[in-house]
Amino acid sequence: MRTEGRLAGGFGFPLGCVAVVTAAIVAGLSGAAAHPGYAVAAVALAVGAVAVITTPLAAAGVVAVGWAVLSGFAYGRAGELLFIAATGWVAVILAGAAGFGLALGAGWRTVRRVRPVFAEAVVPEPRKAVEAGHRRVASL
């Protein structure tokens, strides 16, 4: 699989998993227990950020892990996955964040690849005339 300036999936997926779990923990510690929407926003931001720098397959895996973390701990509270309407919307939000991140990353890589490079013309300075070490005398 060609990565074309992206972080390879073998590195992007674990990075995304760590980012998702960290975002969920930080959101949980900051009071998201009463409002799971805060955790959804934090995890969606992490998913989008990882999708910018990694491959589409790794981004899809991060979406699945993010959904599982949110379904099991932000909505389920016991680690059990919940298949309810709220977690269905969470899946849609995370997939949208990943799609937006992938599009943003592709656009950024296109701009970096297409950007014209204007090199300034370098004109060397003219050399000084060589002074003769001795002068020839014309014979008469």
Side-chain angles (χ1 to χ4, degrees):
M1 170 180 268
R2 297 176 56 194
T3 58
E4 298 171 353
R6 291 179 257 181
L7 190 60
F11 295 106
F13 177 69
L15 174 70
C17 292
V18 169
V20 162
V21 170
T22 303
I25 289 173
V26 168
L29 293 177
S30 66
H35 302 286
Y38 295 150
V40 172
V43 171
L45 185 64
V47 166
V50 169
V52 168
I53 62 172
T54 192
T55 61
L57 186 60
V62 172
V63 167
V65 170
W67 178 83
V69 167
L70 290 173
S71 175
F73 296 104
Y75 287 96
R77 307 269 189 244
E80 296 178 4
L81 298 180
L82 294 179
F83 296 95
I84 58 176
T87 58
W89 282 111
V90 168
V92 170
I93 291 169
L94 294 181
F100 181 74
L102 287 170
L104 188 66
W108 175 254
R109 283 184 292 278
T110 301
V111 167
R112 287 186 61 201
R113 184 173 40 244
V114 174
R115 184 181 335 163
V117 178
F118 297 107
E120 293 183 22
V122 179
V123 178
E125 293 182 21
R127 296 182 187 174
K128 292 182 179 180
V130 178
E131 294 183 17
H134 59 82
R135 294 186 180 188
R136 291 187 144 186
V137 179
S139 58
L140 293 170

